[in-house]
Amino acid sequence: MARIIYIDKVRKMTTETASAVNVHSIAKTFLNFEPMTPKKLQKLCYYAYSWYLALNDKRLFDNNFQAWIHGPVDPDLYNTYKSYGWSNIEREQYIPSEIGSDPELLEFIEEVYESYGDLDGNQLEYLTHRESPWLNARGDLKPYEPSNNELSDYDISTFYKKELGL
């Protein structure tokens, strides 16, 4: 199986993220780069959250991802974009101010996009289905069984730190 190199620049953030940063501001930033399906947006937000947690030992935003059938999903973000189904969400015309005012955070999000943005939602789902944070949260569930089990921050941090050799 091929291995994906996730993040090219391994560095900790030196600035504190604004308390206004949430999953929606991260999503709108990704949508500024291109229109995309809700599935792809979910996975990009998950990877931003995961790499940020591994690199900085703190959460990027307060929401939690759950181990749904198609990979990690933030239910709040899902509810915002579920009406799009399998169609693309239109491109945003601006980067939220809480992201744009923090150059390091914006660079980090751009780096996540550069690492994963060329993949579609199904390819990103495939990746998450092979990673221990989602697998651990799913436990013994069958692939078709629904789940609201939350992915553990400990599992996320441990897995991605290991990927980086930290």
Side-chain angles (χ1 to χ4, degrees):
M1 173 162 47
R3 181 180 164 133
I4 302 290
I5 302 299
Y6 298 96
I7 301 294
D8 293 330
K9 302 173 194 168
V10 178
R11 59 170 163 58
K12 291 188 178 240
M13 306 280 287
T14 58
T15 60
E16 294 291 318
T17 59
S19 60
V21 172
N22 58 50
V23 69
H24 297 286
S25 56
I26 300 297
K28 286 178 187 250
T29 303
F30 283 125
L31 286 168
N32 185 263
F33 303 140
E34 69 168 282
M36 64 186 73
T37 64
K39 185 193 288 191
K40 180 173 180 173
L41 182 61
Q42 283 282 351
K43 303 312 171 260
L44 290 175
C45 289
Y46 168 73
Y47 280 120
Y49 178 89
S50 298
W51 286 114
Y52 190 89
L53 182 63
L55 291 167
N56 298 289
D57 293 319
K58 60 184 174 185
R59 298 163 57 103
L60 180 57
F61 47 80
D62 288 335
N63 296 40
N64 294 312
F65 286 89
Q66 296 178 354
W68 287 20
I69 291 169
H70 294 289
V73 171
D74 177 287
D76 190 34
L77 188 62
Y78 172 80
N79 286 327
T80 299
Y81 295 107
K82 69 182 176 183
S83 64
Y84 288 89
W86 300 104
S87 300
N88 279 343
I89 304 163
E90 63 270 0
R91 186 174 181 170
E92 287 285 334
Q93 298 303 313
Y94 70 96
I95 292 175
S97 60
E98 61 272 20
I99 306 291
S101 65
D102 187 337
E104 282 187 297
L105 180 57
L106 179 57
E107 182 180 354
F108 171 78
I109 294 168
E110 288 170 342
E111 193 172 321
V112 171
Y113 180 75
E114 288 171 14
S115 296
Y116 295 99
D118 62 329
L119 302 175
D120 66 25
N122 292 330
Q123 292 166 320
L124 292 169
E125 175 184 340
Y126 177 84
L127 290 179
T128 62
H129 280 205
R130 273 124 193 92
E131 297 173 353
S132 62
W134 182 82
L135 291 168
N136 291 348
R138 294 285 299 172
D140 293 331
L141 292 172
K142 304 275 188 247
Y144 54 84
E145 289 183 285
S147 166
N148 293 328
N149 298 343
E150 290 185 355
L151 278 71
S152 153
D153 279 350
Y154 176 81
D155 286 349
I156 292 169
S157 182
T158 301
F159 177 80
Y160 292 98
K161 283 181 179 186
K162 185 178 177 187
E163 289 294 304
L164 293 171
L166 299 178

